[in-house]
Amino acid sequence: MGDIEGSYRVLQTPGTRLGAQFNAGISTLEPGQSLSGNMIGGSKSHGRGLQIRVEGLDDSQEFFDIDPKAFGQGLLSEVFLRGNLIESDYFGLEFQNMQMNWVWLEATKPVAKQVRRPANTLFRLSVKFFPPDPGQLQEEYTRYLFSLQMKRDLMEGRLICTENTGALLASHLVQSEIGDYDDVADRDFLRMNKLLPYQERVQEKIMELHRRHLGQTPAESDFQILEIARKLEMYGVRFHPAADREGTKINLAVSHMGLQVFQGNTKINTFNWSKIRKLSFKRKRFLIKLHPEVHGPHQDTLEFMMASRDQCKIFWKICVEYHSFFRLFDQPQPKSKAIIFTRGSSFRYSGRTQKQLVEYVRENGAKRTPYQRYVFPYTACALFIRKTSYSVVDSPQLSPFQPKGPLCLSPSFQMSTLSLPGPAPSPLQSPILSEVGSNARLEEEEEGRRKRYPTDKAYFIAKEILTTERTYLKDLEVITVWFRSAVIKENAMPEGLMTLLFSNIDPIYEFHRGFLKELDQRLALWEGRSNAHAKGDYQRIGDVMMRNMCALKEFTSYLQKHDEVLTELEKATKRLKKLETVYKEFELQKVCYLPLNTFLLKPIQRLMHYKLILERLCKHYSPTHRDHDDCKEALKEVAEIATQLQSSLIRLENFQKLTELQRDLIGIENLTAPGREFIREGCLYKLTKKGLQQRMFFLFSDMLLYTSKGVTATNQFKVHGQLPLHGMIVEESENEWSVPHCFTIYSAQRTIVVAASSKVEMGKWIEDLNIAIDMAKKSQEKSSIFLGAGLGDHSNRSSDEVSLEQESEDDMNSSRTSLDKQTHHRANTTMHVCWHRNTSVSMSDHSLAVENQLSGYLLRKFKNSNGWQKLWVVFTNFCLFFYKTHQDDFPLASLPLLGYTVSTPEESDSIHKEYVFKLQFKSHVYFFRAESEYTFERWMEVIKSAASTTGRMSLLIPKGGPMEINGN
C-alpha cells in the first residue's frame, strides 16, 4: 500500500516495548511516594502471587501476576507498560463492586483492600477522562483506543444518539476495521460483530454510509468517530442516579467543564467549575456550594440525595479527579497527615494533569517508537485489522517481512494552539501533517519539477487562476452536492425554496466545471505535458479567460438573485424547525468548513478574484504581447459584471455577517434589522468590581454590544450589555485609571471603562466608534428604530458614573481557564479567534479578506525538523486550511492567522532554500516554501492582510482563589 507516514510505534510481541529505557506508564503517585517492592508485584513477589485478569478495549483479555500486597499503581503501571500506552493518564482500570456498580481502581490503595476477590474479578481498561476534542490526544494509538471506547459505549447504550448518527458511527468503525466497502465483506463483518443494539434495523444504512468512506485510512476513521462523538450530548457521560430536594429523580455527571444535571437523557443544567466554590458530601447528601454571585447569597448551596454514602463518595472522588485533571496546571500536593485524628476524606487526585501530560508527550515525542498497522487475512478477503498489545490471544509473531498496513494519517483538530496556556501544541503537529519518511526524494522531485516547468510570471499568474478555481468548485459543491443531499434526505426544505436555491446555483456550478477543465488542459499544455509547448501556441491564458468571462455574462441574472436566496433561506430556517435542525447539523460536518451561508457569497466574490488576477496579468504583459489584448478584453467583461454586483455584494456580506452573529450570540433578537450594519468585533477587557474581565465587543451602526463566552454546547457568546450609539462619547483614560490602552465609553444609560491589548487596537476601536457615533447622529430617525431592540442596560446612574458592576455570567473565568477547550463546531469564526488572540476585526478587514483568497501547494516544515512536506493549502476567512491533496473534500487541519507575524527566515533559522516565508505566533513557528518568486510574493501579500501585528494583552488579570473540594 505504499510507505507508512506519520508517527507510529512498532509492536513486536505483546508486552515488548522496542527501545524503551523507562517505564511507559505515567506515575499517578502522590509526590514523595515511591514504587516499593510491595507495591509492584511481579519478580520481587515473595510467597503466592495474585493473577489478575484485565480486558482491553478490543475485548481481548490478559493475565497479570502481582504481589498480594500490591497497590493499584503497580497493576496500572504493568497494564500501561505492556499496552505500550504513552498517554496513559486518560485511562484507568474499572471493576464492578458488590453493588454491581463500575468503580475505578485507586492507585494509592492496595488492590486487595479495594476488591474482595481480586483473582475472580474482571478489570477492564477504560477511558477515564474524556477531553473536549480529539485534537488534544497526541498519539494515533490513543485515538484508536478512544474510538474503541466509543464502540463500547454505543453497544452498551451509553452513547445515546439518533439511529442515523449511530449508523454513521458504525460505518466509520467498519471502515476502520476492514477498509474500503465490499458488499460481501461488509455483511460478513456486521454479522459477526455487534456494533449497535439496533444494528439489524440500520444495517443497509451502515453499508450505504460505508460506501462513501472510500480511501479513508483507519486513523482517519478513528478521528471521524471521535469528531462525531464529541458533539453528542452524551459523549463521555456517566450517570450517577440522585434526587433533588423535591424528590425528583435526576442523574448527575461530571465532564471537563464541570458538573452536569440530567433528567432522563436530557441535560437540564451545567455548573461550570468556575461557579463552584466547594464540593462535599454528608452521608447520602451530595453538596455543591456555589460562588455567591451565581445564585445570590441565600441560594449558594445545592443538595442532591443519592442511594447510599458509598455512591455519594464514589461520585465525589470522580469530581475531584476530573477537576484536578482538566483545571489544574500541576498535580495537587498531598494532604498532610493529622497526628491524632482526621476529619473528612484525604483523597486527592494523584496523577498528572492534562497540561502536564500534553507537555510530557510533546517533549518525549522523539523517544517514541513507531506504532504500525498490519494486513491480516479476514474471512474471504484481506482486510486491515490493527492488533494492539492486548491481543496476545491468537496474535501471531509479527515478522518484519509481513506487509505493512495502509497509509495511516490522522487529522488534527482546529485551533489547538488556543487551548493551552504557555507553549501549546501546534495545530499542525499531528501525524497527518507531520514529516514524511521520504523527504529527500520529495525535495529531489520538487527541484526537478522547478527546472522542468515554465518560469514566466504569466504562467504562475495563470496557475493561480487554476488553483483558486479548484477550491472555488469545491466550495460550490458544499451547496450543490453536500447540502442538497442533506435537505433531500430529511425532506427539510420547501419545494419553492429548493427551486429558488438550486435553479440559481446549479447552472453556475456546471459552467465552472467546464471552465476548470479548460484551465487544467491549458496549463497542462503550457507546462509541456504534451508536444504543443514546442510550438509555443498555448503559453497563454487570455483566450480561455475572454471566452469564459463573456459566457459568465449570461449568469448575471442568477447572481442578482443571490440576495433573495440568502434572505429566503434565513427566513425559512427561522420558520421551519426541521430545516433549522438540518442546517445546524450540516454545519457540524467537516465538509462545511466555513459558516454555510458564506458559500452562497462565493459566486459574486469569485468575479472580484477574476478581476484582480486579470488586472495583474494585464499589468505584467507589454501592450505588444500576443496575450495582452485577450486579457484586456476579458478584464473589461468581468469588470462590467462586477460593477453591477458590487453594491449587492456589500449588502450580502453585511447580511451574512449579521446572520452568523445572530446564531452565535445569546440574548439579542432581530440582529438582522433593516439598516443595521456590522462595523467591528473584537476582544477588550472591561473594568468590573472583580477587576479587568475579558469581554467580546460587537460594534454596529446603531449600537455597541458586549458579551462573555458561555458554556453552551456550541460555545456561543452571552450578551451582557447593549449601548445605543446615539449620544455616546468615547475618551482615552489611561492616566485616570492607570491602565494601559484604556478608554471610557459614556452612553445615555451607562458608562464603562475598557482596555485594549495594544495602542494600535485602542486606536482602531476609538476611530471606528467615533465614525459610527457620527453616522448615528446624522441618521437619528433611523437609529431610533433600533434603540428598543434586543437586551438593553437600564440603569438610574448618571451618565458620568462609571459602572463597576459585579456581572453574573456563564463562565466568569472562561478567558483564562487552562483547559476549557472550545467545542464550537466553527472554531475558526473570527469572533472565537479574536477572543483567544485579544484582537479585533472590522468589516473593511472582512472585505479585504474576500479579495485575498488563495490556494495552492506549499512545502511545509516545523522549526526543529529537517524535511519538507507537500500540502494543499487554502487561505480564506483569515485562516489557512490544510489538505493532503486538492481532491480532498474537507480540510484536515487549520491555522487561524490573526496575531501571527509573517516574515522571511533569519540567519539563525538555518533555512537555505529560496521562496521561504516564516509564520510565528509566540512559540509556534512554521516555514512554508513556495514554488516561485511570484507565488512567494502572493502568499506573503495575502497572509500580511490577515495577520495582525498587534501585541498580546500585557495587563495582569486578577485570578480567583482555588476551589475547595472536601469530603465528609
Side-chain angles (χ1 to χ4, degrees):
M1 288 290 292
D3 292 335
I4 301 291
E5 292 184 23
S7 172
Y8 310 90
R9 278 175 278 129
V10 178
L11 301 182
Q12 287 190 325
T13 55
T16 304
R17 181 187 168 96
L18 298 181
Q21 302 299 317
F22 57 94
N23 190 336
I26 296 172
S27 171
T28 54
L29 293 177
E30 292 188 8
Q33 288 185 307
S34 63
L35 294 175
S36 58
N38 68 332
M39 285 182 73
I40 304 182
S43 60
K44 292 189 180 180
S45 156
H46 300 290
R48 192 176 172 192
L50 279 176
Q51 195 173 58
I52 303 291
R53 187 163 51 112
V54 176
E55 182 180 272
L57 278 156
D58 60 351
D59 298 331
S60 64
Q61 294 184 10
E62 283 224 36
F63 289 90
F64 293 81
D65 292 318
I66 65 168
D67 190 277
K69 295 180 181 178
F71 280 62
Q73 181 62 51
L75 179 56
L76 285 165
S77 294
E78 285 292 313
V79 171
F80 295 153
L81 179 62
R82 197 180 298 183
N84 204 30
L85 189 54
I86 300 291
E87 296 177 280
S88 55
D89 287 82
Y90 287 112
F91 300 87
L93 291 176
E94 56 180 353
F95 62 93
Q96 286 184 302
N97 61 11
M98 297 299 290
Q99 290 75 41
M100 301 306 289
N101 295 318
W102 287 100
V103 294
W104 294 106
L105 180 72
E106 289 184 38
T108 55
K109 281 188 179 179
V111 175
K113 285 194 175 181
Q114 300 180 64
V115 189
R116 179 166 287 188
R117 295 187 181 89
N120 298 331
T121 300
L122 175 67
F123 293 82
R124 69 178 189 180
L125 182 75
S126 299
V127 173
K128 188 173 186 179
F129 299 115
F130 291 82
D133 71 76
Q136 292 178 340
L137 306 175
Q138 310 282 300
E139 296 253 300
E140 178 191 320
Y141 182 56
T142 312
R143 289 192 289 272
Y144 167 54
L145 294 180
F146 263 74
S147 74
L148 291 179
Q149 181 70 57
M150 297 305 105
K151 179 181 174 183
R152 181 190 283 174
D153 287 357
L154 270 175
M155 194 52 221
E156 291 181 355
R158 281 175 159 179
L159 189 61
I160 296 167
C161 57
T162 64
E163 287 192 0
N164 280 344
T165 303
L168 181 59
L169 284 164
S171 71
H172 284 295
L173 285 164
V174 176
Q175 177 75 18
S176 169
E177 293 296 337
I178 70 173
D180 288 343
Y181 174 82
D182 176 276
D183 189 77
V184 175
D186 274 37
R187 292 185 190 281
D188 285 349
F189 182 82
L190 290 170
R191 187 179 68 251
M192 295 166 61
N193 294 273
K194 190 86 168 169
L195 304 177
L196 299 167
Y198 44 85
Q199 187 164 302
E200 289 74 17
R201 284 203 304 273
V202 295
Q203 179 162 319
E204 295 304 317
K205 182 74 174 173
I206 294 170
M207 292 171 65
E208 177 197 332
L209 291 166
H210 181 208
R211 192 195 297 266
R212 300 179 190 175
H213 306 327
L214 186 68
Q216 188 170 284
T217 65
E220 289 168 346
S221 298
D222 295 341
F223 192 84
Q224 289 300 322
I225 291 161
L226 298 181
E227 271 291 276
I228 296 163
R230 75 178 181 88
K231 291 161 188 165
L232 298 173
E233 195 158 74
M234 300 298 288
Y235 165 70
V237 169
R238 300 293 182 260
F239 280 161
H240 296 264
D244 62 16
R245 279 180 171 168
E246 285 73 43
T248 306
K249 288 185 178 179
I250 51 100
N251 286 306
L252 297 177
V254 63
S255 73
H256 71 281
M257 67 171 64
L259 267 66
Q260 300 171 327
V261 184
F262 287 80
Q263 200 158 27
N265 294 324
T266 306
K267 184 162 64 178
I268 58 174
N269 213 339
T270 297
F271 298 102
N272 194 281
W273 294 124
S274 59
K275 293 180 181 179
I276 300 171
R277 188 161 66 87
K278 181 179 177 181
L279 289 176
S280 60
F281 65 93
K282 292 182 180 176
R283 299 184 179 87
K284 296 181 182 181
R285 290 184 300 147
F286 186 81
L287 306 168
I288 305 173
K289 194 160 190 175
L290 303 170
H291 287 291
E293 64 268 16
V294 178
H295 281 287
H298 306 296
Q299 207 180 2
D300 66 341
T301 303
L302 301 174
E303 187 177 299
F304 299 94
M305 292 292 290
M306 303 189 90
S308 66
R309 181 185 181 277
D310 284 349
Q311 288 193 23
C312 233
K313 188 172 184 179
I314 287 167
F315 181 58
W316 173 79
K317 284 181 175 180
I318 294 169
C319 292
V320 171
E321 294 192 307
Y322 251 86
H323 175 266
S324 300
F325 184 73
F326 284 110
R327 291 281 288 190
L328 301 186
F329 287 177
D330 301 306
Q331 63 192 71
Q333 295 298 311
K335 199 172 184 180
S336 56
K337 302 276 184 183
I339 298 171
I340 303 174
F341 62 89
T342 62
R343 184 182 177 194
S345 172
S346 62
F347 178 79
R348 290 290 182 274
Y349 173 63
S350 57
R352 297 186 182 195
T353 66
Q354 193 194 34
K355 179 179 181 292
Q356 289 176 315
L357 179 56
V358 167
E359 287 173 353
Y360 168 83
V361 176
R362 192 165 65 242
E363 288 165 9
N364 290 274
K367 299 176 188 175
R368 282 178 271 171
T369 48
Y371 159 55
Q372 292 183 358
R373 298 171 178 183
Y374 293 89
V375 179
F376 287 84
Y378 175 78
T379 61
C381 58
L383 302 169
F384 298 116
I385 297 181
R386 292 163 291 172
K387 290 289 180 183
T388 72
S389 58
Y390 296 105
S391 307
V392 66
V393 186
D394 80 14
S395 185
Q397 177 80 20
L398 297 180
S399 160
F401 302 107
Q402 281 181 295
K404 291 181 178 179
L407 187 67
C408 299
L409 301 164
S410 309
S412 164
F413 183 65
Q414 294 176 339
M415 284 181 70
S416 51
T417 51
L418 306 182
S419 62
L420 298 171
S426 154
L428 307 184
Q429 285 173 325
S430 66
I432 184 64
L433 296 175
S434 59
E435 307 312 317
V436 293
S438 55
N439 287 318
R441 191 176 72 236
L442 172 64
E443 291 195 40
E444 285 172 17
E445 287 173 2
E446 284 300 309
E447 290 302 332
R449 190 198 59 75
R450 286 166 196 263
K451 290 172 185 175
R452 190 173 70 250
Y453 283 4
T455 55
D456 180 20
K457 183 177 178 180
Y459 161 75
F460 292 110
I461 297 175
K463 193 168 182 181
E464 183 182 330
I465 300 172
L466 172 66
T467 55
T468 52
E469 189 73 12
R470 280 178 175 154
T471 295
Y472 172 54
L473 202 68
K474 282 286 182 188
D475 286 344
L476 289 181
E477 285 177 1
V478 174
I479 302 289
T480 61
V481 178
W482 301 94
F483 185 57
R484 186 204 308 264
S485 174
V487 292
I488 288 175
K489 182 178 158 189
E490 300 297 330
N491 193 23
M493 190 178 281
E495 194 174 327
L497 183 56
M498 284 279 286
T499 304
L500 176 66
L501 172 56
F502 295 110
S503 67
N504 270 284
I505 204 161
D506 283 348
I508 295 169
Y509 172 65
E510 287 304 320
F511 166 76
H512 285 282
R513 281 183 68 190
F515 183 28
L516 178 62
K517 281 181 186 172
E518 279 194 64
L519 289 171
D520 203 17
Q521 286 164 2
R522 177 53 56 87
L523 266 292
L525 295 172
W526 199 333
E527 289 166 358
R529 285 182 258 167
S530 77
N531 293 325
H533 74 288
K535 301 175 186 176
D537 291 344
Y538 295 102
Q539 293 186 352
R540 56 199 170 99
I541 197 71
D543 58 327
V544 175
M545 294 303 292
M546 183 181 71
R547 191 164 54 249
N548 284 280
M549 294 307 101
C550 288
L552 257 180
K553 267 189 165 179
E554 298 173 21
F555 297 96
T556 308
S557 59
Y558 293 105
L559 295 168
Q560 285 170 333
K561 279 193 176 179
H562 277 225
D563 203 332
E564 184 188 351
V565 170
L566 207 60
T567 309
E568 289 303 316
L569 182 60
E570 183 62 23
K571 283 181 187 173
T573 52
K574 285 181 180 176
R575 190 176 73 251
L576 303 168
K577 189 73 180 170
K578 194 173 185 181
L579 179 59
E580 183 190 27
T581 303
V582 170
Y583 192 110
K584 286 179 178 175
E585 285 183 357
F586 182 73
E587 282 199 323
L588 296 176
Q589 293 186 27
K590 281 268 192 174
V591 73
C592 191
Y593 69 102
L594 300 171
L596 177 58
N597 55 14
T598 304
F599 294 101
L600 286 167
L601 304 184
K602 295 284 182 181
I604 303 180
Q605 291 173 347
R606 186 62 177 151
L607 293 174
M608 310 303 164
H609 301 162
Y610 293 142
K611 181 173 173 284
L612 290 166
I613 296 172
L614 283 165
E615 281 173 353
R616 214 171 288 126
L617 261 176
C618 289
K619 190 176 177 182
H620 167 67
Y621 285 138
S622 68
T624 56
H625 194 285
R626 64 198 178 113
D627 207 24
H628 178 270
D629 289 347
D630 284 344
C631 285
K632 196 169 182 182
E633 188 60 34
L635 175 58
K636 181 186 164 190
E637 295 291 337
V638 78
E640 195 178 307
I641 316 171
T643 303
Q644 288 180 44
L645 295 166
Q646 182 67 45
S647 59
S648 180
L649 178 60
I650 293 168
R651 190 169 60 253
L652 284 171
E653 286 174 350
N654 184 64
F655 183 73
Q656 184 277 323
K657 187 63 188 175
L658 292 176
T659 53
E660 181 190 322
L661 292 175
Q662 183 74 73
R663 287 188 175 87
D664 286 341
L665 299 181
I666 298 172
I668 181 78
E669 297 297 326
N670 197 26
L671 203 57
T672 55
R676 177 171 291 143
E677 292 178 29
F678 167 75
I679 298 172
R680 181 174 289 277
E681 63 184 327
C683 179
L684 294 169
Y685 281 82
K686 180 176 176 290
L687 198 58
T688 70
K689 284 181 182 176
K690 274 202 164 184
L692 289 165
Q693 299 282 330
Q694 190 177 5
R695 297 286 176 267
M696 192 69 187
F697 280 73
F698 300 90
L699 175 61
F700 302 93
S701 55
D702 61 314
M703 64 177 175
L704 177 69
L705 296 181
Y706 59 92
T707 68
S708 66
K709 190 154 79 87
V711 292
T712 60
T714 51
N715 247 0
Q716 292 163 293
F717 283 78
K718 182 180 176 183
V719 176
H720 283 292
Q722 175 183 328
L723 308 176
L725 296 189
H726 182 60
M728 183 181 283
I729 299 170
V730 181
E731 289 179 358
E732 288 189 42
S733 52
E734 289 189 48
N735 296 336
E736 184 182 348
W737 294 95
S738 300
V739 174
H741 323 309
C742 170
F743 56 100
T744 304
I745 301 170
Y746 302 91
S747 79
Q749 289 103 7
R750 168 169 294 183
T751 298
I752 62 172
V753 178
V754 294
S757 59
S758 69
K759 193 170 185 66
V760 173
E761 275 294 300
M762 180 179 73
K764 288 177 182 177
W765 275 107
I766 292 175
E767 183 182 0
D768 279 358
L769 277 163
N770 283 328
I771 291 170
I773 291 164
D774 193 45
M775 284 166 54
K777 196 184 293 181
K778 289 174 182 174
S779 54
Q780 284 184 24
E781 290 179 11
K782 190 181 286 187
S783 66
S784 64
I785 297 168
F786 309 128
L787 290 180
L791 170 81
D793 278 332
H794 303 293
S795 171
N796 293 322
R797 295 185 185 91
S798 61
S799 61
D800 62 345
E801 181 185 346
V802 174
S803 162
L804 291 176
E805 80 279 14
Q806 186 72 51
E807 295 185 15
S808 169
E809 56 186 282
D810 286 322
D811 187 4
M812 191 69 77
N813 296 324
S814 62
S815 64
R816 58 184 181 274
T817 55
S818 62
L819 293 154
D820 280 352
K821 180 78 173 182
Q822 333 182 53
T823 55
H824 197 282
H825 63 277
R826 287 187 279 110
N828 287 311
T829 52
T830 48
M831 71 163 69
H832 287 90
V833 184
C834 287
W835 175 264
H836 286 276
R837 304 262 170 91
N838 284 324
T839 189
S840 68
V841 172
S842 70
M843 194 64 210
S844 59
D845 295 328
H846 280 283
S847 299
L848 186 65
V850 166
E851 295 177 6
N852 284 305
Q853 300 191 27
L854 196 58
S855 313
Y857 282 104
L858 289 173
L859 298 179
R860 193 287 330 270
K861 81 181 284 293
F862 298 128
K863 181 171 57 176
N864 299 319
S865 64
N866 295 318
W868 297 81
Q869 185 183 17
K870 192 175 185 178
L871 297 168
W872 177 257
V873 183
V874 173
F875 171 72
T876 186
N877 287 40
F878 308 101
C879 189
L880 293 177
F881 294 92
F882 299 93
Y883 305 73
K884 288 298 285 181
T885 72
H886 70 264
Q887 288 103 337
D888 294 353
D889 288 320
F890 53 82
L892 299 169
S894 64
L895 185 67
L897 292 178
L898 292 173
Y900 268 78
T901 57
V902 59
S903 62
T904 51
E906 299 163 14
E907 193 66 35
S908 57
D909 293 319
S910 300
I911 303 290
H912 306 295
K913 299 287 181 185
E914 287 185 303
Y915 316 134
V916 175
F917 60 90
K918 176 183 179 180
L919 275 177
Q920 184 163 5
F921 176 73
K922 290 195 165 180
S923 60
H924 303 287
V925 178
Y926 312 110
F927 299 99
F928 293 92
R929 186 176 161 206
E931 64 178 344
S932 70
E933 185 179 0
Y934 170 78
T935 47
F936 165 76
E937 287 171 355
R938 282 291 291 137
W939 281 106
M940 287 283 282
E941 181 187 342
V942 299
I943 290 171
K944 278 180 181 174
S945 74
S948 167
T949 54
T950 55
R952 292 281 284 178
M953 191 65 173
S954 58
L955 299 172
L956 291 173
I957 310 303
K959 297 199 173 186
M963 187 181 79
E964 186 184 353
I965 304 187
N966 288 9
N968 295 298

